[in-house]
Amino acid sequence: EKEELVGLRNYVFRLNETGEETDTVQQKGEEEDSTEKRLKEIRAERALIIGGHGNWQKKMQKELPNSQFLAADSRHFDVSVIKNKKYLIFNTDLLQHTSYYRIMGEKRRGQRVLYVHGNNVEKCMRELLMQL
């Protein structure tokens, strides 16, 4: 629970950050390389994405092709869907509390919980990258 709270707190904190522009071209290039590396990492990993609008999930499937998706209103699902998933990604925009608590109850050590909000795919990917 403490790990979950820290992750959620960090996510909310990052949403409120203003962020400063980098000054040099070299810094921007290094950041882009780092971002691209993290994008490749998350795209290659198996994740479980829970919640969000159906259209958003279809768009996210293109961004995260190795991931599995659960509809926001999924109440009855096999909890084995979280096995072998490195990331558990919750879209807090549209999510059933019962699904959230059920998944968190089955979460294993080593699995990272990440949060996104909204239907803009690019924004959600940036939010995921900030949490990695």
Side-chain angles (χ1 to χ4, degrees):
E1 289 178 355
K2 184 176 180 181
E3 181 182 319
E4 174 190 357
L5 178 62
V6 169
L8 188 55
R9 185 180 301 143
N10 288 339
Y11 169 70
V12 172
F13 178 74
R14 285 187 195 111
L15 284 178
N16 294 325
E17 280 184 341
T18 57
E20 294 182 15
E21 294 283 330
T22 55
D23 294 331
T24 67
V25 174
Q26 182 181 2
Q27 287 175 327
K28 285 184 180 183
E30 290 172 1
E31 285 181 9
E32 288 174 4
D33 290 344
S34 174
T35 299
E36 198 59 40
K37 183 179 177 182
R38 292 183 309 186
L39 270 174
K40 285 181 183 178
E41 176 188 331
I42 196 166
R43 286 181 176 139
E45 291 292 340
R46 296 185 59 173
L48 178 64
I49 292 84
I50 308 100
H53 192 273
N55 290 335
W56 174 81
Q57 284 192 349
K58 288 178 186 176
K59 292 175 186 176
M60 285 298 286
Q61 285 175 337
K62 293 175 185 173
E63 290 291 325
L64 304 171
N66 294 329
S67 298
Q68 189 173 356
F69 292 79
L70 276 178
D73 59 353
S74 295
R75 291 183 181 204
H76 305 287
F77 56 88
D78 186 4
V79 291
S80 67
V81 297
I82 71 167
K83 289 183 180 177
N84 301 322
K85 304 295 190 293
K86 183 173 183 176
Y87 301 112
L88 304 174
I89 302 169
F90 292 95
N91 185 324
T92 59
D93 199 41
L94 189 59
L95 177 67
Q96 291 280 331
H97 286 106
T98 55
S99 299
Y100 176 80
Y101 291 123
R102 190 165 178 210
I103 289 172
M104 291 307 293
E106 296 292 325
K107 176 189 164 295
R108 294 200 167 108
R109 184 172 268 182
Q111 290 179 312
R112 294 217 28 214
V113 177
L114 307 173
Y115 301 93
V116 296
H117 178 74
N119 291 317
N120 183 314
V121 173
E122 290 176 13
K123 179 181 170 251
C124 290
M125 291 302 291
R126 283 193 306 269
E127 290 175 1
L128 289 174
L129 292 175
M130 285 190 305
Q131 296 174 66
L132 292 179

